[in-house]
């Protein structure tokens, strides 16, 4: 079955870059996503990448995909205290309409 | 665009009571998903609909859970009878069939005592 793994916690200082990592097992994954969840809120779609891409950049966010190693990362440049949240990696393949989520990485940004 | 709307935002009920959670997807979206989030199991898909028809309900825990989508703008998730282990945050999400962007509602935090 499909499995998505993330580390549970990451702490960085304000202004530094954050890198959140994710690994997945489904070799037929076609779309990979990053969502952000702030306390008491729903999941906010940050960005997603097609499996035929290596990189996608959107302002302070950079997504890197290593399809061979089934490794996805999210880099947040110039991390701010407002970036403190839980970040979920998710994947989808063409055979399924729903997403499979990782357990989330809690990002703590220290001033 | 108001986004996905869920109600109530918080629900506290006693064991054995019926609970109904409601969702209004984004207008024009033809896929609707119900997820449950707990500390122990993370985010789990319960059921999803396409054009108001349930497609995959394999994630529904047991017969106490049921979901309906009577029209394109409304869905319910019902738990009857509720149990303390049903306490979780329930999310509704929707997307258009022509897109890969799935949008979540704010969730309903359910507490069963």
């Amino acid at each position: 079955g499909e499995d998505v793994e993330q580390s549970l916690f990451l702490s960085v200082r304000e202004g530094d870059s954050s890198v959140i990592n994710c690994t997945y097992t489904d070799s037929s994954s076609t779309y990979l996503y990053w969502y952000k969840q702030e306390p008491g809120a729903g999941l906010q779609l940050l960005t997603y990448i097609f499996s035929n891409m290596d990189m996608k950049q959107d302002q302070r966010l950079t997504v890197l995909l290593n399809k061979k190693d089934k490794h996805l990362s999210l880099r947040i440049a110039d991390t701010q205290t407002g970036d403190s949240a839980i970040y979920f990696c998710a994947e989808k393949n063409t055979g399924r309409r729903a997403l499979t989520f990782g357990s989330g990485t809690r990002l703590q940004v220290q001033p | 665009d108001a986004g996905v709307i869920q109600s109530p935002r918080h629900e506290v009920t006693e064991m054995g009571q019926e609970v109904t959670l409601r969702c209004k997807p984004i207008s024009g979206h033809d896929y609707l998903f119900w997820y449950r989030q707990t500390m122990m199991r993370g985010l789990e898909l319960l059921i999803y609909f396409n054009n108001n028809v349930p497609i995959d309900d394999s994630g529904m825990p047991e017969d106490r859970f049921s979901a309906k989508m009577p029209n394109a703008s409304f869905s319910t998730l019902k738990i009857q009878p509720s149990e303390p282990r049903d306490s979780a945050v329930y999310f509704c999400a929707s997307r258009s069939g022509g897109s890969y962007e799935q949008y979540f509602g704010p969730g309903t935090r359910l507490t069963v005592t």
Side-chain angles (χ1 to χ4, degrees), chain B:
Chain B
D1 191 340
V4 177
I5 298 172
Q6 291 187 247
S7 65
R9 293 293 312 275
H10 301 274
E11 176 80 37
V12 180
T13 191
E14 291 183 349
M15 183 174 65
Q17 297 297 306
E18 178 180 295
V19 174
T20 299
L21 312 181
R22 297 173 176 80
C23 174
K24 177 178 167 53
I26 293 172
S27 177
H29 283 191
D30 46 4
Y31 282 89
L32 183 141
F33 305 83
W34 282 101
Y35 290 88
R36 179 171 67 176
Q37 185 179 38
T38 61
M39 288 292 292
M40 291 296 294
R41 300 174 68 90
L43 268 161
E44 303 173 278
L45 175 71
L46 299 177
I47 185 172
Y48 80 88
F49 295 81
N50 178 215
N51 292 321
N52 313 339
V53 176
I55 303 299
D56 182 357
D57 65 354
S58 59
M60 296 286 262
E62 46 199 274
D63 292 345
R64 297 185 297 106
F65 285 69
S66 62
K68 294 182 179 180
M69 192 164 185
N71 58 62
S73 60
F74 184 65
S75 177
T76 60
L77 177 67
K78 186 177 292 187
I79 308 172
Q80 165 64 15
S82 58
E83 297 182 2
R85 59 192 169 120
D86 302 330
S87 297
V89 181
Y90 290 81
F91 288 105
C92 178
S94 72
R95 74 170 175 90
S96 165
S99 167
Y100 304 107
E101 299 177 6
Q102 190 173 120
Y103 294 95
F104 281 74
T108 296
R109 181 174 295 276
L110 173 65
T111 303
V112 183
T113 60

Side-chain angles (χ1 to χ4, degrees), chain A residues 18-90:
Chain A
S18 306
V19 180
I20 302 171
N21 295 302
C22 170
T23 58
Y24 59 97
T25 58
D26 188 353
S27 58
S28 61
S29 294
T30 50
Y31 308 99
L32 295 127
Y33 302 77
W34 285 104
Y35 282 83
K36 175 184 180 183
Q37 185 179 31
E38 297 184 64
L43 277 74
Q44 174 193 354
L45 177 62
L46 289 178
T47 186
Y48 65 96
I49 188 169
F50 296 115
S51 61
N52 62 357
M53 298 170 63
D54 297 325
M55 185 183 85
K56 181 178 181 181
Q57 188 157 3
D58 184 1
Q59 299 181 340
R60 293 190 298 121
L61 305 179
T62 302
V63 178
L64 294 177
L65 175 60
N66 182 329
K67 192 174 181 181
K68 174 176 172 290
D69 294 338
K70 300 189 186 67
H71 182 266
L72 182 76
S73 68
L74 174 69
R75 179 178 180 270
I76 305 173
D78 187 24
T79 312
Q80 302 298 306
T81 54
D83 295 324
S84 293
I86 300 176
Y87 290 80
F88 289 92
C89 171

